[in-house]
Amino acid sequence: MITKRIIPCLDVKDGRVVKGVNFKGLSDVSSPVELAKFYTENGADELVFYDITASAEGRAIFTDILCEAASSVFIPLTVGGGINTLDDFDRVLKCGADKVSVNSGAIKNPNLIYEAAKRYGDQCVVISADVKRVDGVFRVFAKGGRENTGMEAISWIKHCVDSGAGEVVLNSIDTDGVKGGFDIEMLDKVCEVVNVPVIASGGAGCIDDFIHLFKTLPKVDAGLAASIFHFGEVGISDLKQELKKQGIPVRI
């Protein structure tokens, strides 16, 4: 049986891990290198690094911090932010990333996912979709949630998977940092149209939110969270023990 993955997310700005609510009001948390080491030693299944201002600032992703963190991490590492070309994929992979997450870059260049999957393999390409309800419709946002593209999200995500993305990270802007639970409705819509792993992101506030996620939507492969892990509100080992008790398969 495939185990469910628990994935801490490190949003990095100016070389520090930050966290906000609904993608706004960012506050400083810690050093990404130290946090990466901590999570590696404390049961995380994977790590996600986002350089959250790279796209908005029109620059390449950080590499010095990434190289340092990757050298001390012994679990799969997904990296995103400012990924616009195959050269960006190449640079991040050479820094030690296992998978590359793309959002704004794919919106600007719809062929990027196809080209990257062809060169590096589907398993390496992750579509990270920042999605928010606008007048009752799921819309895709770009540049770290700052820009409404006007595109309908579910069909966009399906298109990206059909083009070669091997994994989907669904970031619900509506539930981000609110700690009221994952966006079950949005996740369900995505799971209906893709047959690759789907990672739920945005809204985790307690252990019960993960239990509810995996029991309600068995197709969801992983739960991603940030602040509840960063601030010690939920320990990953405690979370996994409780999931196991509930009959949800996890790697202990």
Side-chain angles (χ1 to χ4, degrees):
M1 188 178 291
I2 297 174
T3 57
K4 302 300 184 183
R5 292 172 287 154
I6 303 300
I7 307 174
C9 177
L10 280 58
D11 293 327
V12 179
K13 180 178 186 289
D14 300 328
R16 298 284 293 177
V17 176
V18 296
K19 191 67 190 88
V21 176
N22 303 128
F23 284 36
K24 299 176 182 175
L26 301 175
S27 57
D28 185 81
V29 177
S30 182
S31 152
V33 176
E34 292 306 312
L35 265 187
K37 289 178 183 174
F38 173 80
Y39 289 131
T40 300
E41 295 165 358
N42 284 272
D45 295 298
E46 298 188 14
L47 278 178
V48 170
F49 266 51
Y50 288 135
D51 185 340
I52 61 171
T53 56
S55 291
E57 294 170 2
R59 60 174 171 78
I61 196 169
F62 59 87
T63 53
D64 51 345
I65 294 170
L66 175 56
C67 287
E68 189 178 352
S71 67
S72 61
V73 169
F74 306 105
I75 53 178
L77 177 63
T78 299
V79 177
I83 305 296
N84 295 297
T85 66
L86 289 182
D87 285 345
D88 292 329
F89 269 81
D90 196 55
R91 185 172 62 255
V92 169
L93 291 168
K94 284 178 178 173
C95 285
D98 299 282
K99 292 181 276 189
V100 182
S101 174
V102 61
N103 179 11
S104 298
I107 293 166
K108 286 187 286 187
N109 174 12
N111 289 323
L112 180 60
I113 287 175
Y114 172 78
E115 293 166 355
K118 191 174 178 182
R119 178 177 292 186
Y120 301 109
D122 294 9
Q123 79 291 339
C124 182
V125 182
V126 179
I127 176 64
S128 176
D130 297 336
V131 182
K132 184 178 182 180
R133 292 167 179 80
V134 180
D135 298 325
V137 179
F138 295 128
R139 297 293 183 192
V140 178
F141 278 66
K143 297 182 179 177
R146 296 169 180 81
E147 183 180 288
N148 183 356
T149 67
M151 293 193 301
E152 193 278 322
I154 309 304
S155 58
W156 164 248
I157 292 169
K158 183 179 187 304
H159 167 74
C160 292
V161 170
D162 290 344
S163 297
E167 192 166 74
V168 176
V169 177
L170 181 64
N171 308 300
S172 171
I173 298 175
D174 293 324
T175 60
D176 174 71
V178 177
K179 299 183 182 179
F182 291 98
D183 199 322
I184 299 296
E185 179 193 14
M186 191 184 290
L187 286 159
D188 187 36
K189 296 291 185 186
V190 172
C191 287
E192 285 177 2
V193 300
V194 302
N195 59 356
V196 299
V198 174
I199 298 172
S201 171
C206 62
I207 288 175
D208 284 345
D209 290 335
F210 287 88
I211 295 170
H212 180 63
L213 168 70
F214 293 132
K215 287 200 167 184
T216 307
L217 297 176
K219 284 187 176 180
V220 170
D221 289 79
L224 180 150
S227 55
I228 60 166
F229 297 145
H230 298 343
F231 300 122
E233 295 164 37
V234 171
I236 292 176
S237 59
D238 295 335
L239 169 58
K240 287 188 167 185
Q241 291 293 345
E242 195 56 42
L243 289 171
K244 186 178 180 183
K245 284 182 191 174
Q246 295 290 328
I248 297 165
V250 290
R251 179 183 66 86
I252 300 293

